């Protein structure tokens, strides 16, 4: 949540920071602001709304300066408003700060400061921390860096903080715990960001700051320290990402671009891993822990949202192919329970961003109890990737649309490859089935591309149903989680209420909702459950519900029963979700666009949920 950007160097900082904020808007977009040193003072510009609203409010004012910090906010403490927007200025007006995260004990700190006569201009926890730091600096007559270090010892919660001050305006001081921070290293200049996207066109050399580290960043110097004031050696890594990956490339929205990228991202995910001829799957991280996985008592999958849906599909696949008991847990519940974790358990965390706070804490807790943690993560070098013992990246490239699409299919591919590898090693899958599934996987990119070439029908369906008030999504078996995912996408993108359900379970309640106004979307491909789902469709038709169905090419039975169909190529039921989800992503997208919604930045959402 919240995007942060910083620049210090010789160039004009404002355009760099604004451009960076636009790239980070997926993290939050209810207000934005910058603080810049203009040779005399720190000036703050901030505005409720998107970064474009901030730019518009600044208009033709000449914003000059070579060191600047900027923020795009997802509100936690205090409603979205100009006054709660970051940056905040300290009581003296000499220090400006931006913050991503939550200061959990802010109320106590605020009380202390109120007793000392402080007056707050906003309702944010950020302004409290900032004044707490300034108070320490004044009382101890110490440097800002020292004051920050002292303050952080009193702070509980998660944060990335950037500070600039009047007395050393070229220096940005940063600290991290629980939220991401990347520093780009240029020639006599440094860039800071919540991810690397704001710095991509300037440098490929980056340092990922770790928790409990402080960075003192000047144009020509980067000093990393721990909270004990010991210097650390920054580990400079080369970024493996091109600018084109974070641009729309001719598409109207990132979401559409990312949906259409799936033939390629699915292929990328298998590249160098799947070798059908040799009959092998190479996954070093999984190989390293293969023995433990094979002998595991159970696998506990921990994730949130769309990643949790990928976990549900994986549950069915792993149980089928590996005969290992699997449980799928919402990270936000799991972390606060007192779950039984045995040392023979494998914890499998799934996350696109690798920064989801609940997932991160859940695996850290499990790790403390001795479990082996495997991560299936998209963002390289992210916190969950680093907290895992091993795992596999999904290699889907940056996902910028707030609704997850290509990351989901990549997660399915990685999880299926893992299950196949383990099942084959364990001997719980026959050689024949294994070879067949390898071939099935290999042709998924082609089949996904086929769907991309047949989207006209989906657009028409979107037009027809865009005014619906509610939707029901039903699926069985491997496609049950796809129904959940379809419903989630529709809610997020079009604000239409949608529920996903196991098709057979609908008789236990949701069928009461069915009437001639309710579109019911079935995920009904040809699989072991086909006859059953056909019966479920008939039950809906008998109650005058409208049936939309994702069906296998050539399935006349389902076609006849449906009011509208979205076709996918035939595929084995284990890999089918990689295809069946695509028409549902497109349906949500086209309905969202038809309703005039901001599909890349749906209201109230943020891509990376770094608060609990
Ligand atoms: C839905 C969506 C969210 C995320 C969830 C977990 O479109 O994007 O539900 O899936 O916030 O995020 P990650 O996968 O980054 O842990």
């Amino acid at each position: 949540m919240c995007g942060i950007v910083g620049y210090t160097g010789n160039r004009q900082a404002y355009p760099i920071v604004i451009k960076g904020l636009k790239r980070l808007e997926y993290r939050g977009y209810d207000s934005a602001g910058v603080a810049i040193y203009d040779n005399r003072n720190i000036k703050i510009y901030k505005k409720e709304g998107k970064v474009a609203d901030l730019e518009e409010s600044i208009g033709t004012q000449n914003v000059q300066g070579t060191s600047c910090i900027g923020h795009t906010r997802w509100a936690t403490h205090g409603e979205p408003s100009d006054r709660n927007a970051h940056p905040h200025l300290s009581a003296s007006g000499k220090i400006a700060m931006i913050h991503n995260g939550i200061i959990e004990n802010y109320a106590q700190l605020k009380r202390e400061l109120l007793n000392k006569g402080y007056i707050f201009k906003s309702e944010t926890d950020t302004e409290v921390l900032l004044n707490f730091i300034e108070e320490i600096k004044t009382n101890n007559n110490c440097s800002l860096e020292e004051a920050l270090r002292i303050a952080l010892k009193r702070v509980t919660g998660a944060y990335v903080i950037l500070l600039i001050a009047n007395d050393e305006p070229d220096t940005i001081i940063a600290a991290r715990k629980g939220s991401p921070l990347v520093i780009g290293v240029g020639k006599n200049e440094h860039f800071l960001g919540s991810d690397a996207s704001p710095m991509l066109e300037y440098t490929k050399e980056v340092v990922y700051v770790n928790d409990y580290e402080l960075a003192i960043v000047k144009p020509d110097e980067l000093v990393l320290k721990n909270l004990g004031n010991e210097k650390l050696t920054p580990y400079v890594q080369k970024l493996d990402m091109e600018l084109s990956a974070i641009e729309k490339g001719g598409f109207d929205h990132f979401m559409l671009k990312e949906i259409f990228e799936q033939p390629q991202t699915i292929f990328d995910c298998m590249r160098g891993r799947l070798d059908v001829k040799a009959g092998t799957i190479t996954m070093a991280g999984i190989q390293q822990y293969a023995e433990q996985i094979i002998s595991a008592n159970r696998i506990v999958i921990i994730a949130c949202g769309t990643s949790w849906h990928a976990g549900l599909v994986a549950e069915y696949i792993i149980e089928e192919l590996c005969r290992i008991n699997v449980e799928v847990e919402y990270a936000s519940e799991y972390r606060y329970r007192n779950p039984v974790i045995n040392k023979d358990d494998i914890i499998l965390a799934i996350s696109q961003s690798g920064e989801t706070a609940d997932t991160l804490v859940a695996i850290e807790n499990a790790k403390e109890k001795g479990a082996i943690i495997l991560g299936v993560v998209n963002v390289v070098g992210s916190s969950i990737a680093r907290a895992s013992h091993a795992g596999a990246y999904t290699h889907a490239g940056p996902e910028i649309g707030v609704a997850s699409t290509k990351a989901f299919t990549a997660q399915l591919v990685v999880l299926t490859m893992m299950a196949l590898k383990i099942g084959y090693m364990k001997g719980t899958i026959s050689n024949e089935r294994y070879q067949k599934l390898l071939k099935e996987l290999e042709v998924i990119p082609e089949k996904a591309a086929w769907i991309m070439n047949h989207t006209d029908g989906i657009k028409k369906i979107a037009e027809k149903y865009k005014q619906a008030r509610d939707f029901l999504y039903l699926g069985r078996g491997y496609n049950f989680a796809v129904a959940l995912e379809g419903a989630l996408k529709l809610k997020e993108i079009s604000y239409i209420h949608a529920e996903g359900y196991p098709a057979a379970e609908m008789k236990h309640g949701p069928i009461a909702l069915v009437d001639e106004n309710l579109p019911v979307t079935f995920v009904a491909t040809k699989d072991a459950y086909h006859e059953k789902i056909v019966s479920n469709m008939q039950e809906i038709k008998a109650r005058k519900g409208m049936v939309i169905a994702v069906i296998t090419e050539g399935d006349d039975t389902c076609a006849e029963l449906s009011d509208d169909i979205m076709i996918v190529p035939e595929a084995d039921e284990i890999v089918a979700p990689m295809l069946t989800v695509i028409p549902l992503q497109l349906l949500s997208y086209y309905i969202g666009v038809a309703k005039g919604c901001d599909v890349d930045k749906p209201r109230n959402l943020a891509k990376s949920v770094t608060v609990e």
Side-chain angles (χ1 to χ4, degrees):
M1 317 304 233
C2 302
I4 56 126
V5 183
Y7 174 82
T8 180
N10 300 317
R11 310 184 205 217
Q12 283 304 317
Y14 172 70
I16 296 173
V17 170
I18 283 287
K19 204 195 236 180
L21 286 179
K22 285 187 178 159
R23 296 208 181 129
L24 290 180
E25 259 189 319
Y26 70 85
R27 302 181 64 85
Y29 33 82
D30 58 44
S31 57
V34 297
I36 191 156
Y37 183 76
D38 74 348
N39 279 331
R40 280 196 312 273
N41 284 309
I42 295 172
K43 281 207 169 149
I44 305 267
Y45 303 86
K46 53 187 187 173
K47 188 79 197 145
E48 181 183 346
K50 304 212 161 108
V51 179
D53 298 308
L54 170 70
E55 268 191 301
E56 200 184 307
S57 74
I58 292 175
T60 52
Q61 291 178 68
N62 194 8
V63 186
Q64 295 279 334
T66 55
S67 75
C68 179
I69 56 177
H71 189 265
T72 176
R73 180 171 186 247
W74 187 88
T76 56
H77 293 64
E79 57 172 15
S81 65
D82 290 358
R83 127 192 126 79
N84 287 332
H86 298 210
H88 293 281
L89 208 51
S90 65
S92 71
K94 289 182 183 159
I95 311 170
M97 174 166 141
I98 55 177
H99 165 219
N100 168 27
I102 288 185
I103 306 303
E104 284 166 4
N105 59 339
Y106 87 102
Q108 187 196 338
L109 301 177
K110 189 169 185 175
R111 266 194 307 276
E112 289 175 24
L113 293 171
L114 285 169
N115 286 340
K116 290 180 178 156
Y118 275 84
I119 295 167
F120 292 93
K121 300 181 211 89
S122 76
E123 298 150 89
T124 63
D125 50 347
T126 307
E127 194 189 1
V128 173
L129 177 56
L130 170 59
N131 282 311
F132 184 59
I133 295 167
E134 181 161 76
E135 165 84 6
I136 293 172
K137 183 174 182 312
T138 312
N139 286 348
N140 295 290
N141 195 16
C142 63
S143 67
L144 181 58
E145 177 197 329
E146 186 55 28
L148 174 62
R149 205 181 346 266
I150 297 169
L152 291 183
K153 291 188 180 144
R154 284 275 320 270
V155 162
T156 54
Y159 50 78
V160 159
I161 292 162
L162 300 194
L163 290 160
I164 56 169
N166 261 349
D167 51 9
E168 241 187 296
D170 280 351
T171 304
I172 298 175
I173 300 183
R176 167 196 160 139
K177 185 196 150 204
S179 297
L181 175 62
V182 186
I183 300 179
V185 183
K187 198 157 179 262
N188 291 326
E189 60 185 353
H190 284 100
F191 306 82
L192 298 97
S194 298
D195 69 27
S197 61
M199 52 203 79
L200 261 186
E201 60 260 67
Y202 310 106
T203 181
K204 287 273 160 66
E205 305 215 317
V206 295
V207 174
Y208 291 95
V209 178
N210 292 309
D211 278 349
Y212 304 107
E213 287 179 2
L214 245 66
I216 299 96
V217 190
K218 302 179 186 204
D220 54 357
E221 191 185 32
L222 164 62
V223 176
L224 264 193
K225 292 184 178 178
N226 60 21
L227 290 183
N229 200 21
E230 290 161 339
K231 277 199 181 179
L232 307 165
T233 310
Y235 171 48
V236 181
Q237 303 188 37
K238 271 252 174 299
L239 263 186
D240 180 21
M241 196 196 289
E242 294 307 322
L243 198 54
S244 57
I246 57 160
E247 289 177 338
K248 280 193 204 145
F251 285 88
D252 288 342
H253 297 98
F254 281 111
M255 183 178 176
L256 190 61
K257 178 191 174 216
E258 287 158 7
I259 292 173
F260 271 78
E261 273 174 354
Q262 288 175 108
Q264 185 63 44
T265 50
I266 292 172
F267 176 78
D268 289 344
C269 185
M270 297 189 288
R271 194 208 313 259
R273 289 169 164 168
L274 180 73
D275 187 336
V276 177
K277 259 201 199 133
T280 54
I281 293 172
T282 310
M283 295 174 104
I286 304 307
Q287 185 68 45
Q288 199 186 337
Y289 283 92
E291 241 175 68
Q292 289 93 327
I293 306 174
I294 287 169
S295 56
N297 203 23
R298 62 174 184 160
I299 295 177
V300 182
I301 296 180
I302 300 178
C304 299
T306 291
S307 298
W308 186 80
H309 295 156
L312 282 185
V313 180
E315 175 184 22
Y316 284 48
I317 298 178
I318 296 170
E319 290 195 345
E320 168 72 24
L321 301 183
C322 311
R323 309 305 299 145
I324 301 172
N325 170 29
V326 180
E327 284 162 29
V328 189
E329 299 278 357
Y330 283 117
S332 53
E333 286 296 317
Y334 194 75
R335 66 175 284 195
Y336 290 111
R337 291 213 319 259
N338 186 8
V340 178
I341 301 172
N342 303 308
K343 68 172 178 25
D344 292 339
D345 289 342
I346 301 283
I347 304 286
L348 179 56
I350 308 175
S351 175
Q352 186 288 126
S353 62
E355 300 294 344
T356 300
D358 287 325
T359 310
L360 182 60
V361 176
I363 63 170
E364 277 167 352
N365 293 347
K367 202 168 165 187
E368 268 173 31
K369 294 185 180 162
I372 292 168
I373 316 292
L374 301 179
V376 172
V377 175
N378 193 38
V379 177
V380 177
S382 56
S383 301
I384 293 172
R386 286 187 287 163
S388 304
H389 291 109
Y393 282 116
T394 45
H395 296 312
E399 190 179 64
I400 294 168
V402 165
S404 190
T405 54
K406 63 175 179 172
F408 178 72
T409 43
Q411 288 165 347
L412 295 182
V413 176
V414 165
L415 292 162
T416 307
M417 288 194 298
M418 276 173 64
L420 276 167
K421 186 173 174 66
I422 295 298
Y424 191 61
M425 288 174 82
K426 197 176 169 194
T428 42
I429 171 174
S430 70
N431 184 41
E432 195 190 351
R433 181 103 175 99
Y434 174 75
Q435 301 295 346
K436 174 171 186 270
L437 285 170
L438 294 193
K439 286 191 192 126
E440 286 274 344
L441 267 177
E442 192 183 33
V443 292
I444 290 290
E446 253 169 61
K447 292 181 179 176
W450 184 93
I451 301 172
M452 304 308 170
N453 288 325
H454 294 82
T455 57
D456 283 353
I458 305 175
K459 271 188 214 158
K460 285 188 193 128
I461 299 173
E463 269 306 316
K464 181 169 165 190
Y465 295 96
K466 68 180 181 200
Q467 300 303 351
R469 205 191 59 176
D470 310 283
F471 263 73
L472 195 57
Y473 282 72
L474 301 175
R476 299 181 80 124
Y478 298 98
N479 279 324
F480 155 50
V482 175
L484 297 187
E485 176 60 9
L488 178 64
K489 286 289 91 85
L490 189 71
K491 279 183 276 209
E492 290 179 296
I493 298 306
S494 70
Y495 314 142
I496 294 175
H497 166 246
E499 276 193 60
Y501 244 80
E505 188 65 19
M506 73 159 176
K507 288 202 275 297
H508 301 281
I511 199 163
L513 299 169
V514 178
D515 63 14
E516 65 279 10
N517 297 316
L518 184 77
V520 183
T521 307
F522 279 90
V523 193
T525 42
K526 282 243 167 118
D527 54 22
Y529 310 84
H530 188 251
E531 276 177 24
K532 307 272 176 216
I533 209 153
V534 168
S535 307
N536 298 138
M537 279 183 175
Q538 267 155 345
E539 286 154 9
I540 297 293
K541 284 312 291 175
R543 284 157 186 84
K544 300 196 167 44
M546 293 177 279
V547 170
I548 306 168
V550 177
I551 64 168
T552 307
E553 207 179 357
D555 177 1
D556 296 335
T557 315
C558 281
E560 273 164 30
L561 272 174
S562 308
D563 294 270
D564 293 282
I565 51 169
M566 297 180 278
I567 299 172
V568 294
E570 189 162 6
D572 188 281
E573 60 185 11
I574 283 190
V575 296
M578 299 167 197
L579 300 173
T580 51
V581 74
I582 297 174
L584 301 184
Q585 296 168 343
L586 285 163
L587 181 66
S588 308
Y589 172 79
Y590 290 127
I591 292 182
V593 170
K595 291 187 73 178
C597 301
D598 187 348
V599 294
D600 276 342
K601 300 186 196 97
R603 68 182 177 212
N604 303 337
L605 293 178
K607 182 127 192 94
S608 187
V609 185
T610 53
V611 295
E612 55 183 270

